[in-house]
Amino acid sequence: MGGVAAAAVTPAIVIAQPAPPANRTVRAILHGDIPTFDPIWTTANMAANHGALVYDTLFGIDEKVTAQPQMIGRHGFSDDKLTLTMELRDGLKWTDGTDVTSRDCVASIRRWAVRDGAGQHMMQRVTDVSPGDARTIVIKFREPYGIALDAMAKTSTPFCFMMREKEALTDPMQKIETTVGSGPFIMNERETRPGTQYVYDKNPNYRPRSEPPSWIAGGKVAHVDRVIIQNVPDAQTAIAALQAGEVDYVETPSLDSVRDLERDRDIMLAPRSPLGDVGWIRLNFLHPPFDNVKARQAVLWAVNQEAHMRASFVDPRFYQKCGAYLTCGTPMENDANTEWFRNGPNPERARQLLRESGYNGQPVTLMQATNIVYMNNTAQILAQELRGIGFNIQMVPMDWSGVVQRRASRAAPDQGGWNIFLTSADGLSSGNPIWAAAHAATGERGWFGWPSDEKHEQLRNAWVSAPDLAARQKIAREMQENAWNFVPTVYYGQWKQPVAHRRNVTGWIATPGCVPFWNVRKT
Amino acid sequence: MIAYIIRRLIATIPVMLLVAIIVFLLVHLAPGDPASVIAGDNATSDQIAAIRAALGLDRPLWEQFAIWIGNVLQGDLGHSLFWNRSVSELILQRAEPTISLAITTLILAVTISITLGVLAAWKAGSGLDRAVMGVAVTGFSVPVFVVGYLLVFVFAIQLGWLPVQGYRPIAEGLWPWLERLILPSIALGLAYVALIARITRTTMLEVLAEDYMRTAEAKGVATRPMLLKHALKNAAVPIVTIVGIGVALLIGGVVITETVFNIPGIGRLVVDAIARRDYPIIQGVILVFSGVYVLVNLAVDISYTFFDPRVRY
C-alpha cells in the first residue's frame, strides 16, 4: 500500500520504466532528427512530433478542418464576439502530478503567440489573455476574430502546445530544457539519446477524450506502452530496417523503393497527410527582375507542374497539379483566374510577358538546395524552363542550411542576396491565408521574398473576420483572383508522400503537421 | 626517447592551434546559420536575428573565436547550440560505438591484409597472388556505402543472419555488441585490407629478395619462421606506417559507415551537427579527431624503434 501511495505522488517522469515487450513497443523512423525539445522555440516539424507525444493542445483540428475542443470542455464567445471563455476539462494533470491550471495555459498561449505567425496575427487583435479562475481562460478581443479557435487548434508549426507556467514564462527566444507535458506520452529521458533515439512511455495519468480520433482532435488513446523514434538519416537503411522488422514505421520512404515495398507482404503503404505538401517558388520582390509583376507572371506561365512532380515524385498516385492559391483539397480551393493553369504552361506567352517586363538579361540567382532531392530536381527543371523563356539563370548550389541563411538577406543578388529559392509547406497551412507566414504580402515585414500588395492584405483581414465558411470561401476566391494577378509566389505542384509501416502495426492517423502515435496498435 | 616524446607533444600545440583556427574559420565562413535552422521555415528575418543574438552569433567573429579558444584552453569544448549538453559529454556518449567500430575494423583489416600480403608475396606471380591483388583493387575501388548496402541486402535482409542497423553497448553482452559490428567492420575494413595487403606484398617482395633471406633459406630455415620472423619483421616499418595512415582514413570512413549502419558514434554526431550548423560540436569533434591523428602518428613513429633497432630518437 505504501508503495502504491509513493508511486502516486512520485512524478511519473522520474519513475524508471522497465522496457515493455516488443509487441507493446512501436519503433519509428521519422523524416529527421528532433532539433530541440522545445516545440515552441522552433517551427521544425520534428519538434512538433515530439510535442504531439508529450504535450496537449486546447483545441485540435479535425479531418473536416474544423477546430474541436481537446483540453477544453465548455467554451464560447460572448454575444458581442469580443470575449472567448474556455474552461479546462476535468482531470488534466502534468506528468509531475500537479493539476493543469488556467495560469499555465495563459502563459503558454502568450509564449506561443510570440513565435507563431497565426498567434501574432491573433494577438494583434487581443486586448487581454488572463485566467478567470483556476480552470477558466479568458481572451478578450478588440474586434471579432472568427479564427481564434482554429489558430489554437492548428497543426502547422509551432502548435499551440500547453506547458506548465514555470516553463511557459521562459523568454520565447530561449529554449526550454524541461519536458513536462500533459499529453498521452511521457518522454523517457533515461533512455533517450539525443541525435539517435527518443523514447516515450505511455502516460498512465492521461485522460483521453471520448470522441473517436480525427487528426489531432478526439480521443488520444495510447494502445502501446512505448514509442521509440529513431534518427536514421540514410533512406536506404531505413527501408532495410523496416523490411527486416527492426522498425515498424518509416515516415518518408524513398519513392524509388515504393515498388519493392508494395511487393513485400509484411509492409503497407499509406498516405502520410491527406492534403500533402505544396511546393513554393519564392520570387524576390525587392530586386529586379521580380520587382516587376510582368516578370513574375512570366514565371507563372512558364512552370510545368507535371514535369516538376514527375521528376521527383515519379508516380501520379503521389502527386497532383494544382492551380488553387490555397491548396487543392481544402474548402478554399477554387478555380478563379486560373487561365495560366488551364492553358499553361505556355512558354510563348511567358516570353511575351518577360519582354513586356523590360527584363534586360541581368543574371537571376536561383538558390539550389542540393541535399533535398525534390528541391534539387525542381531547381534544375526550373532553371531550364526559365532559360527557355529568356531569363539568364545563375544557379547557386548549396545545402538547405545555406539556403535558409541566404534567403534572409535583403541585399541585391550580386551582394549576397537572391532572386529565387524553392521551398515547401504542408497542405493544411498552405491552404490557410493566415497560418502560412509566406501568405503575407506585407513587404519587408513579411516572409522571405517580401511580396507587397495592399488588396491581398485587405482580403486576408476580411477572411479572418468572415462570419462563416461560405463567406470565407467567397473571399478566398477573390484572394486567388488577385493573387494570380500580382503573383506573390508560384507553385510547382502538390504531393502526397506515402508512409510505410509493418502490416501488424495499425491505427495510424494520416494528419497534416505531425505523426500521431495514439490509436496505434501492434499485434 | 622521453625527451623526444615530450618534444613531439609540445610540437602538437601549434599544430592543434592551427587546426583550431582553420576549423573555426571554415565553419563560420561556410554558408549556413544555426539560427535559421532553429527558427524553422515560417520564421521571419527579425525572428532569426533575435535567435542569432540569443546565441551570441551576432558578435564579431574574432570575439566568438576568443571566447571559444579561451574555453578550449580550459578544457571546455563548449555547449551544443541545440542540446542542453556539453560537447565533451556528447563526444563521450558517442565514443564507445566509434572506438568499437574502429577497433574491430582495424583488427579485421590488419589480420586479413597482412596474411594476404605475405601469402601473395610468397607466391608472387601465382593465381593466389593475382586473386589477392584482384581483391585489393576491388576493395579499394568500391565505395564503403556500396559495400555496406550489398552486405545489408545479402546478410540482413535476404539471409536474416545479422541486424541491419544500430548499436548495442558491450555492457549488454559480447554477442549483441559484436553482431551489430560485423557488417560495418567488413564494409569499412575492405578498403584497408586492400591498402595494407598491397603494401605488405610489395615490401615483403623487397625483403624476400635480400641476401640475408637467401642465406636463411640456404641454412634451411623453415618457411613459416622465415616469412614471419625474418621477412615480416624487416618489412614492418612501411606496414606500420600505412596502418597509421589507415587510422586517419578510418576517421573519414567511420563517418560514412556510421551513417549507413545507423551507428550512433562520433561520425554521426558530426554529420548531424554539420547539417544543422551546430558550430561547437563541429569544432570540438574535429579538434578531437585532429588530436587523435597527431597521437597516432606519434605512436607510429615510436613503434619504429621496436621494429627497427637502428632507429633512435
Side-chain angles (χ1 to χ4, degrees), chain A residues 33-34 42-43 234 237 246 399 405 407 447, chain B residues 32 38 40-41 83 149 164 260 276-277:
Chain A
D33 189 18
I34 297 173
T42 176
T43 57
D234 188 90
T237 306
E246 293 176 21
D399 69 358
Q405 181 193 31
R407 72 183 183 183
W447 204 71
Chain B
I38 289 163
D41 214 36
W83 303 111
Y149 290 142
V164 172
V260 169
R276 59 166 75 122
R277 302 297 192 268

mmCIF file with all atom_site columns, all heavy atoms in Angstrom, chain A residues 33-34 42-43 234 237 246 399 405 407 447, chain B residues 32 38 40-41 83 149 164 260 276-277:
data_model
loop_
_atom_site.group_PDB
_atom_site.id
_atom_site.type_symbol
_atom_site.label_atom_id
_atom_site.label_alt_id
_atom_site.label_comp_id
_atom_site.label_asym_id
_atom_site.label_entity_id
_atom_site.label_seq_id
_atom_site.pdbx_PDB_ins_code
_atom_site.Cartn_x
_atom_site.Cartn_y
_atom_site.Cartn_z
_atom_site.occupancy
_atom_site.B_iso_or_equiv
_atom_site.pdbx_formal_charge
_atom_site.auth_seq_id
_atom_site.auth_comp_id
_atom_site.auth_asym_id
_atom_site.auth_atom_id
_atom_site.pdbx_PDB_model_num
ATOM 1   N N   . ASP A 1 33  ? 15.811 14.470 -37.489 1.00 0.00 ? 33  ASP A N   1
ATOM 2   C CA  . ASP A 1 33  ? 16.170 14.418 -36.076 1.00 0.00 ? 33  ASP A CA  1
ATOM 3   C C   . ASP A 1 33  ? 15.383 15.497 -35.327 1.00 0.00 ? 33  ASP A C   1
ATOM 4   O O   . ASP A 1 33  ? 15.025 16.525 -35.904 1.00 0.00 ? 33  ASP A O   1
ATOM 5   C CB  . ASP A 1 33  ? 17.669 14.686 -35.937 1.00 0.00 ? 33  ASP A CB  1
ATOM 6   C CG  . ASP A 1 33  ? 18.168 14.435 -34.518 1.00 0.00 ? 33  ASP A CG  1
ATOM 7   O OD1 . ASP A 1 33  ? 17.466 13.753 -33.747 1.00 0.00 ? 33  ASP A OD1 1
ATOM 8   O OD2 . ASP A 1 33  ? 19.256 14.924 -34.199 1.00 0.00 ? 33  ASP A OD2 1
ATOM 9   N N   . ILE A 1 34  ? 15.126 15.257 -34.068 1.00 0.00 ? 34  ILE A N   1
ATOM 10  C CA  . ILE A 1 34  ? 14.440 16.264 -33.252 1.00 0.00 ? 34  ILE A CA  1
ATOM 11  C C   . ILE A 1 34  ? 15.480 17.314 -32.845 1.00 0.00 ? 34  ILE A C   1
ATOM 12  O O   . ILE A 1 34  ? 16.422 16.989 -32.115 1.00 0.00 ? 34  ILE A O   1
ATOM 13  C CB  . ILE A 1 34  ? 13.797 15.605 -32.007 1.00 0.00 ? 34  ILE A CB  1
ATOM 14  C CG1 . ILE A 1 34  ? 12.734 14.598 -32.452 1.00 0.00 ? 34  ILE A CG1 1
ATOM 15  C CG2 . ILE A 1 34  ? 13.194 16.665 -31.095 1.00 0.00 ? 34  ILE A CG2 1
ATOM 16  C CD1 . ILE A 1 34  ? 12.142 13.768 -31.320 1.00 0.00 ? 34  ILE A CD1 1
ATOM 17  N N   . THR A 1 42  ? 11.050 26.426 -32.001 1.00 0.00 ? 42  THR A N   1
ATOM 18  C CA  . THR A 1 42  ? 11.370 26.178 -33.406 1.00 0.00 ? 42  THR A CA  1
ATOM 19  C C   . THR A 1 42  ? 10.117 25.767 -34.156 1.00 0.00 ? 42  THR A C   1
ATOM 20  O O   . THR A 1 42  ? 9.168  25.252 -33.559 1.00 0.00 ? 42  THR A O   1
ATOM 21  C CB  . THR A 1 42  ? 12.428 25.068 -33.545 1.00 0.00 ? 42  THR A CB  1
ATOM 22  O OG1 . THR A 1 42  ? 12.638 24.808 -34.930 1.00 0.00 ? 42  THR A OG1 1
ATOM 23  C CG2 . THR A 1 42  ? 11.991 23.780 -32.879 1.00 0.00 ? 42  THR A CG2 1
ATOM 24  N N   . THR A 1 43  ? 10.131 25.990 -35.453 1.00 0.00 ? 43  THR A N   1
ATOM 25  C CA  . THR A 1 43  ? 8.998  25.529 -36.258 1.00 0.00 ? 43  THR A CA  1
ATOM 26  C C   . THR A 1 43  ? 9.324  24.201 -36.951 1.00 0.00 ? 43  THR A C   1
ATOM 27  O O   . THR A 1 43  ? 8.557  23.753 -37.801 1.00 0.00 ? 43  THR A O   1
ATOM 28  C CB  . THR A 1 43  ? 8.623  26.565 -37.333 1.00 0.00 ? 43  THR A CB  1
ATOM 29  O OG1 . THR A 1 43  ? 9.774  26.803 -38.143 1.00 0.00 ? 43  THR A OG1 1
ATOM 30  C CG2 . THR A 1 43  ? 8.143  27.852 -36.720 1.00 0.00 ? 43  THR A CG2 1
ATOM 31  N N   . ASP A 1 234 ? 19.887 7.798  -43.251 1.00 0.00 ? 234 ASP A N   1
ATOM 32  C CA  . ASP A 1 234 ? 20.056 7.180  -44.558 1.00 0.00 ? 234 ASP A CA  1
ATOM 33  C C   . ASP A 1 234 ? 18.764 6.484  -44.980 1.00 0.00 ? 234 ASP A C   1
ATOM 34  O O   . ASP A 1 234 ? 18.288 5.560  -44.318 1.00 0.00 ? 234 ASP A O   1
ATOM 35  C CB  . ASP A 1 234 ? 21.204 6.173  -44.496 1.00 0.00 ? 234 ASP A CB  1
ATOM 36  C CG  . ASP A 1 234 ? 21.551 5.641  -45.866 1.00 0.00 ? 234 ASP A CG  1
ATOM 37  O OD1 . ASP A 1 234 ? 22.398 6.252  -46.521 1.00 0.00 ? 234 ASP A OD1 1
ATOM 38  O OD2 . ASP A 1 234 ? 20.933 4.633  -46.283 1.00 0.00 ? 234 ASP A OD2 1
ATOM 39  N N   . THR A 1 237 ? 18.902 2.658  -45.490 1.00 0.00 ? 237 THR A N   1
ATOM 40  C CA  . THR A 1 237 ? 18.993 1.927  -44.214 1.00 0.00 ? 237 THR A CA  1
ATOM 41  C C   . THR A 1 237 ? 17.623 1.866  -43.548 1.00 0.00 ? 237 THR A C   1
ATOM 42  O O   . THR A 1 237 ? 17.242 0.841  -42.977 1.00 0.00 ? 237 THR A O   1
ATOM 43  C CB  . THR A 1 237 ? 20.004 2.619  -43.276 1.00 0.00 ? 237 THR A CB  1
ATOM 44  O OG1 . THR A 1 237 ? 21.237 2.760  -43.971 1.00 0.00 ? 237 THR A OG1 1
ATOM 45  C CG2 . THR A 1 237 ? 20.222 1.820  -42.009 1.00 0.00 ? 237 THR A CG2 1
ATOM 46  N N   . GLU A 1 246 ? 13.037 -4.472 -38.003 1.00 0.00 ? 246 GLU A N   1
ATOM 47  C CA  . GLU A 1 246 ? 13.702 -3.796 -36.872 1.00 0.00 ? 246 GLU A CA  1
ATOM 48  C C   . GLU A 1 246 ? 12.975 -2.519 -36.481 1.00 0.00 ? 246 GLU A C   1
ATOM 49  O O   . GLU A 1 246 ? 13.151 -2.026 -35.370 1.00 0.00 ? 246 GLU A O   1
ATOM 50  C CB  . GLU A 1 246 ? 15.167 -3.491 -37.217 1.00 0.00 ? 246 GLU A CB  1
ATOM 51  C CG  . GLU A 1 246 ? 15.998 -4.755 -37.369 1.00 0.00 ? 246 GLU A CG  1
ATOM 52  C CD  . GLU A 1 246 ? 17.428 -4.481 -37.800 1.00 0.00 ? 246 GLU A CD  1
ATOM 53  O OE1 . GLU A 1 246 ? 17.918 -3.362 -37.616 1.00 0.00 ? 246 GLU A OE1 1
ATOM 54  O OE2 . GLU A 1 246 ? 18.044 -5.410 -38.344 1.00 0.00 ? 246 GLU A OE2 1
ATOM 55  N N   . ASP A 1 399 ? 23.715 23.617 -49.539 1.00 0.00 ? 399 ASP A N   1
ATOM 56  C CA  . ASP A 1 399 ? 22.783 22.751 -48.824 1.00 0.00 ? 399 ASP A CA  1
ATOM 57  C C   . ASP A 1 399 ? 21.619 23.602 -48.285 1.00 0.00 ? 399 ASP A C   1
ATOM 58  O O   . ASP A 1 399 ? 21.638 24.829 -48.355 1.00 0.00 ? 399 ASP A O   1
ATOM 59  C CB  . ASP A 1 399 ? 23.485 21.924 -47.722 1.00 0.00 ? 399 ASP A CB  1
ATOM 60  C CG  . ASP A 1 399 ? 23.957 22.764 -46.558 1.00 0.00 ? 399 ASP A CG  1
ATOM 61  O OD1 . ASP A 1 399 ? 23.792 23.992 -46.592 1.00 0.00 ? 399 ASP A OD1 1
ATOM 62  O OD2 . ASP A 1 399 ? 24.489 22.191 -45.589 1.00 0.00 ? 399 ASP A OD2 1
ATOM 63  N N   . GLN A 1 405 ? 19.825 30.404 -44.626 1.00 0.00 ? 405 GLN A N   1
ATOM 64  C CA  . GLN A 1 405 ? 20.574 31.581 -44.183 1.00 0.00 ? 405 GLN A CA  1
ATOM 65  C C   . GLN A 1 405 ? 20.489 32.690 -45.241 1.00 0.00 ? 405 GLN A C   1
ATOM 66  O O   . GLN A 1 405 ? 20.143 33.827 -44.945 1.00 0.00 ? 405 GLN A O   1
ATOM 67  C CB  . GLN A 1 405 ? 22.036 31.232 -43.943 1.00 0.00 ? 405 GLN A CB  1
ATOM 68  C CG  . GLN A 1 405 ? 22.818 32.448 -43.459 1.00 0.00 ? 405 GLN A CG  1
ATOM 69  C CD  . GLN A 1 405 ? 24.323 32.230 -43.506 1.00 0.00 ? 405 GLN A CD  1
ATOM 70  O OE1 . GLN A 1 405 ? 24.836 31.501 -44.344 1.00 0.00 ? 405 GLN A OE1 1
ATOM 71  N NE2 . GLN A 1 405 ? 25.026 32.860 -42.595 1.00 0.00 ? 405 GLN A NE2 1
ATOM 72  N N   . ARG A 1 407 ? 18.453 33.183 -47.732 1.00 0.00 ? 407 ARG A N   1
ATOM 73  C CA  . ARG A 1 407 ? 17.145 33.717 -48.108 1.00 0.00 ? 407 ARG A CA  1
ATOM 74  C C   . ARG A 1 407 ? 16.735 34.881 -47.202 1.00 0.00 ? 407 ARG A C   1
ATOM 75  O O   . ARG A 1 407 ? 15.858 35.669 -47.547 1.00 0.00 ? 407 ARG A O   1
ATOM 76  C CB  . ARG A 1 407 ? 16.075 32.620 -48.065 1.00 0.00 ? 407 ARG A CB  1
ATOM 77  C CG  . ARG A 1 407 ? 15.699 32.193 -46.659 1.00 0.00 ? 407 ARG A CG  1
ATOM 78  C CD  . ARG A 1 407 ? 14.685 31.067 -46.647 1.00 0.00 ? 407 ARG A CD  1
ATOM 79  N NE  . ARG A 1 407 ? 14.316 30.736 -45.284 1.00 0.00 ? 407 ARG A NE  1
ATOM 80  C CZ  . ARG A 1 407 ? 13.498 29.771 -44.940 1.00 0.00 ? 407 ARG A CZ  1
ATOM 81  N NH1 . ARG A 1 407 ? 12.952 29.018 -45.871 1.00 0.00 ? 407 ARG A NH1 1
ATOM 82  N NH2 . ARG A 1 407 ? 13.208 29.537 -43.683 1.00 0.00 ? 407 ARG A NH2 1
ATOM 83  N N   . TRP A 1 447 ? 7.413  37.557 -44.976 1.00 0.00 ? 447 TRP A N   1
ATOM 84  C CA  . TRP A 1 447 ? 8.282  36.395 -45.133 1.00 0.00 ? 447 TRP A CA  1
ATOM 85  C C   . TRP A 1 447 ? 9.184  36.581 -46.348 1.00 0.00 ? 447 TRP A C   1
ATOM 86  O O   . TRP A 1 447 ? 8.924  37.413 -47.213 1.00 0.00 ? 447 TRP A O   1
ATOM 87  C CB  . TRP A 1 447 ? 7.392  35.152 -45.293 1.00 0.00 ? 447 TRP A CB  1
ATOM 88  C CG  . TRP A 1 447 ? 8.061  33.868 -44.911 1.00 0.00 ? 447 TRP A CG  1
ATOM 89  C CD1 . TRP A 1 447 ? 8.394  33.453 -43.653 1.00 0.00 ? 447 TRP A CD1 1
ATOM 90  C CD2 . TRP A 1 447 ? 8.448  32.818 -45.797 1.00 0.00 ? 447 TRP A CD2 1
ATOM 91  N NE1 . TRP A 1 447 ? 8.963  32.222 -43.705 1.00 0.00 ? 447 TRP A NE1 1
ATOM 92  C CE2 . TRP A 1 447 ? 9.017  31.801 -45.000 1.00 0.00 ? 447 TRP A CE2 1
ATOM 93  C CE3 . TRP A 1 447 ? 8.381  32.634 -47.175 1.00 0.00 ? 447 TRP A CE3 1
ATOM 94  C CZ2 . TRP A 1 447 ? 9.507  30.612 -45.539 1.00 0.00 ? 447 TRP A CZ2 1
ATOM 95  C CZ3 . TRP A 1 447 ? 8.871  31.448 -47.713 1.00 0.00 ? 447 TRP A CZ3 1
ATOM 96  C CH2 . TRP A 1 447 ? 9.425  30.453 -46.898 1.00 0.00 ? 447 TRP A CH2 1
ATOM 97  N N   . GLY B 2 32  ? 25.361 29.042 -44.274 1.00 0.00 ? 32  GLY B N   1
ATOM 98  C CA  . GLY B 2 32  ? 24.540 28.323 -43.300 1.00 0.00 ? 32  GLY B CA  1
ATOM 99  C C   . GLY B 2 32  ? 24.561 29.036 -41.963 1.00 0.00 ? 32  GLY B C   1
ATOM 100 O O   . GLY B 2 32  ? 25.507 29.766 -41.653 1.00 0.00 ? 32  GLY B O   1
ATOM 101 N N   . ILE B 2 38  ? 17.230 26.746 -36.491 1.00 0.00 ? 38  ILE B N   1
ATOM 102 C CA  . ILE B 2 38  ? 16.416 26.711 -35.275 1.00 0.00 ? 38  ILE B CA  1
ATOM 103 C C   . ILE B 2 38  ? 15.063 27.380 -35.536 1.00 0.00 ? 38  ILE B C   1
ATOM 104 O O   . ILE B 2 38  ? 14.013 26.868 -35.160 1.00 0.00 ? 38  ILE B O   1
ATOM 105 C CB  . ILE B 2 38  ? 17.135 27.452 -34.130 1.00 0.00 ? 38  ILE B CB  1
ATOM 106 C CG1 . ILE B 2 38  ? 18.334 26.637 -33.661 1.00 0.00 ? 38  ILE B CG1 1
ATOM 107 C CG2 . ILE B 2 38  ? 16.184 27.723 -32.960 1.00 0.00 ? 38  ILE B CG2 1
ATOM 108 C CD1 . ILE B 2 38  ? 19.329 27.438 -32.839 1.00 0.00 ? 38  ILE B CD1 1
ATOM 109 N N   . GLY B 2 40  ? 13.344 27.773 -38.155 1.00 0.00 ? 40  GLY B N   1
ATOM 110 C CA  . GLY B 2 40  ? 12.431 26.996 -38.984 1.00 0.00 ? 40  GLY B CA  1
ATOM 111 C C   . GLY B 2 40  ? 11.913 27.780 -40.159 1.00 0.00 ? 40  GLY B C   1
ATOM 112 O O   . GLY B 2 40  ? 12.282 28.931 -40.395 1.00 0.00 ? 40  GLY B O   1
ATOM 113 N N   . ASP B 2 41  ? 11.003 27.126 -40.889 1.00 0.00 ? 41  ASP B N   1
ATOM 114 C CA  . ASP B 2 41  ? 10.615 27.621 -42.198 1.00 0.00 ? 41  ASP B CA  1
ATOM 115 C C   . ASP B 2 41  ? 9.678  28.817 -42.155 1.00 0.00 ? 41  ASP B C   1
ATOM 116 O O   . ASP B 2 41  ? 9.617  29.597 -43.089 1.00 0.00 ? 41  ASP B O   1
ATOM 117 C CB  . ASP B 2 41  ? 9.978  26.472 -42.983 1.00 0.00 ? 41  ASP B CB  1
ATOM 118 C CG  . ASP B 2 41  ? 10.304 26.590 -44.455 1.00 0.00 ? 41  ASP B CG  1
ATOM 119 O OD1 . ASP B 2 41  ? 11.421 27.026 -44.758 1.00 0.00 ? 41  ASP B OD1 1
ATOM 120 O OD2 . ASP B 2 41  ? 9.419  26.276 -45.264 1.00 0.00 ? 41  ASP B OD2 1
ATOM 121 N N   . TRP B 2 83  ? 21.282 21.122 -28.061 1.00 0.00 ? 83  TRP B N   1
ATOM 122 C CA  . TRP B 2 83  ? 21.024 20.270 -26.903 1.00 0.00 ? 83  TRP B CA  1
ATOM 123 C C   . TRP B 2 83  ? 21.612 20.901 -25.668 1.00 0.00 ? 83  TRP B C   1
ATOM 124 O O   . TRP B 2 83  ? 22.661 21.508 -25.722 1.00 0.00 ? 83  TRP B O   1
ATOM 125 C CB  . TRP B 2 83  ? 21.641 18.884 -27.105 1.00 0.00 ? 83  TRP B CB  1
ATOM 126 C CG  . TRP B 2 83  ? 21.128 18.236 -28.324 1.00 0.00 ? 83  TRP B CG  1
ATOM 127 C CD1 . TRP B 2 83  ? 21.811 17.977 -29.468 1.00 0.00 ? 83  TRP B CD1 1
ATOM 128 C CD2 . TRP B 2 83  ? 19.798 17.804 -28.558 1.00 0.00 ? 83  TRP B CD2 1
ATOM 129 N NE1 . TRP B 2 83  ? 20.987 17.400 -30.392 1.00 0.00 ? 83  TRP B NE1 1
ATOM 130 C CE2 . TRP B 2 83  ? 19.744 17.283 -29.863 1.00 0.00 ? 83  TRP B CE2 1
ATOM 131 C CE3 . TRP B 2 83  ? 18.634 17.803 -27.777 1.00 0.00 ? 83  TRP B CE3 1
ATOM 132 C CZ2 . TRP B 2 83  ? 18.584 16.775 -30.411 1.00 0.00 ? 83  TRP B CZ2 1
ATOM 133 C CZ3 . TRP B 2 83  ? 17.477 17.292 -28.328 1.00 0.00 ? 83  TRP B CZ3 1
ATOM 134 C CH2 . TRP B 2 83  ? 17.474 16.792 -29.632 1.00 0.00 ? 83  TRP B CH2 1
ATOM 135 N N   . TYR B 2 149 ? 25.640 -1.414 -48.377 1.00 0.00 ? 149 TYR B N   1
ATOM 136 C CA  . TYR B 2 149 ? 24.284 -1.763 -48.829 1.00 0.00 ? 149 TYR B CA  1
ATOM 137 C C   . TYR B 2 149 ? 24.219 -3.215 -49.309 1.00 0.00 ? 149 TYR B C   1
ATOM 138 O O   . TYR B 2 149 ? 23.235 -3.925 -49.055 1.00 0.00 ? 149 TYR B O   1
ATOM 139 C CB  . TYR B 2 149 ? 23.838 -0.833 -49.952 1.00 0.00 ? 149 TYR B CB  1
ATOM 140 C CG  . TYR B 2 149 ? 23.571 0.594  -49.503 1.00 0.00 ? 149 TYR B CG  1
ATOM 141 C CD1 . TYR B 2 149 ? 23.914 1.668  -50.307 1.00 0.00 ? 149 TYR B CD1 1
ATOM 142 C CD2 . TYR B 2 149 ? 22.968 0.855  -48.284 1.00 0.00 ? 149 TYR B CD2 1
ATOM 143 C CE1 . TYR B 2 149 ? 23.670 2.974  -49.903 1.00 0.00 ? 149 TYR B CE1 1
ATOM 144 C CE2 . TYR B 2 149 ? 22.729 2.147  -47.872 1.00 0.00 ? 149 TYR B CE2 1
ATOM 145 C CZ  . TYR B 2 149 ? 23.078 3.205  -48.691 1.00 0.00 ? 149 TYR B CZ  1
ATOM 146 O OH  . TYR B 2 149 ? 22.838 4.488  -48.278 1.00 0.00 ? 149 TYR B OH  1
ATOM 147 N N   . VAL B 2 164 ? 20.312 -5.127 -39.447 1.00 0.00 ? 164 VAL B N   1
ATOM 148 C CA  . VAL B 2 164 ? 20.557 -4.109 -40.471 1.00 0.00 ? 164 VAL B CA  1
ATOM 149 C C   . VAL B 2 164 ? 21.347 -2.948 -39.886 1.00 0.00 ? 164 VAL B C   1
ATOM 150 O O   . VAL B 2 164 ? 22.260 -2.419 -40.517 1.00 0.00 ? 164 VAL B O   1
ATOM 151 C CB  . VAL B 2 164 ? 19.208 -3.570 -41.012 1.00 0.00 ? 164 VAL B CB  1
ATOM 152 C CG1 . VAL B 2 164 ? 19.437 -2.365 -41.930 1.00 0.00 ? 164 VAL B CG1 1
ATOM 153 C CG2 . VAL B 2 164 ? 18.444 -4.660 -41.739 1.00 0.00 ? 164 VAL B CG2 1
ATOM 154 N N   . VAL B 2 260 ? 25.505 4.811  -42.757 1.00 0.00 ? 260 VAL B N   1
ATOM 155 C CA  . VAL B 2 260 ? 24.861 3.694  -43.467 1.00 0.00 ? 260 VAL B CA  1
ATOM 156 C C   . VAL B 2 260 ? 24.292 2.673  -42.489 1.00 0.00 ? 260 VAL B C   1
ATOM 157 O O   . VAL B 2 260 ? 23.188 2.164  -42.683 1.00 0.00 ? 260 VAL B O   1
ATOM 158 C CB  . VAL B 2 260 ? 25.866 3.022  -44.435 1.00 0.00 ? 260 VAL B CB  1
ATOM 159 C CG1 . VAL B 2 260 ? 25.313 1.720  -44.983 1.00 0.00 ? 260 VAL B CG1 1
ATOM 160 C CG2 . VAL B 2 260 ? 26.223 3.970  -45.568 1.00 0.00 ? 260 VAL B CG2 1
ATOM 161 N N   . ARG B 2 276 ? 23.003 20.914 -39.312 1.00 0.00 ? 276 ARG B N   1
ATOM 162 C CA  . ARG B 2 276 ? 22.247 21.964 -38.623 1.00 0.00 ? 276 ARG B CA  1
ATOM 163 C C   . ARG B 2 276 ? 23.148 23.103 -38.156 1.00 0.00 ? 276 ARG B C   1
ATOM 164 O O   . ARG B 2 276 ? 22.705 23.981 -37.433 1.00 0.00 ? 276 ARG B O   1
ATOM 165 C CB  . ARG B 2 276 ? 21.434 21.380 -37.471 1.00 0.00 ? 276 ARG B CB  1
ATOM 166 C CG  . ARG B 2 276 ? 22.239 20.676 -36.414 1.00 0.00 ? 276 ARG B CG  1
ATOM 167 C CD  . ARG B 2 276 ? 21.397 20.435 -35.178 1.00 0.00 ? 276 ARG B CD  1
ATOM 168 N NE  . ARG B 2 276 ? 20.458 19.362 -35.363 1.00 0.00 ? 276 ARG B NE  1
ATOM 169 C CZ  . ARG B 2 276 ? 20.401 18.277 -34.608 1.00 0.00 ? 276 ARG B CZ  1
ATOM 170 N NH1 . ARG B 2 276 ? 21.249 18.135 -33.612 1.00 0.00 ? 276 ARG B NH1 1
ATOM 171 N NH2 . ARG B 2 276 ? 19.532 17.343 -34.809 1.00 0.00 ? 276 ARG B NH2 1
ATOM 172 N N   . ARG B 2 277 ? 24.433 23.033 -38.560 1.00 0.00 ? 277 ARG B N   1
ATOM 173 C CA  . ARG B 2 277 ? 25.408 24.088 -38.229 1.00 0.00 ? 277 ARG B CA  1
ATOM 174 C C   . ARG B 2 277 ? 25.550 24.274 -36.724 1.00 0.00 ? 277 ARG B C   1
ATOM 175 O O   . ARG B 2 277 ? 25.521 25.399 -36.222 1.00 0.00 ? 277 ARG B O   1
ATOM 176 C CB  . ARG B 2 277 ? 25.022 25.419 -38.890 1.00 0.00 ? 277 ARG B CB  1
ATOM 177 C CG  . ARG B 2 277 ? 24.892 25.384 -40.374 1.00 0.00 ? 277 ARG B CG  1
ATOM 178 C CD  . ARG B 2 277 ? 26.222 25.050 -41.059 1.00 0.00 ? 277 ARG B CD  1
ATOM 179 N NE  . ARG B 2 277 ? 26.134 25.311 -42.492 1.00 0.00 ? 277 ARG B NE  1
ATOM 180 C CZ  . ARG B 2 277 ? 25.785 24.416 -43.402 1.00 0.00 ? 277 ARG B CZ  1
ATOM 181 N NH1 . ARG B 2 277 ? 25.488 23.178 -43.024 1.00 0.00 ? 277 ARG B NH1 1
ATOM 182 N NH2 . ARG B 2 277 ? 25.754 24.737 -44.678 1.00 0.00 ? 277 ARG B NH2 1
#
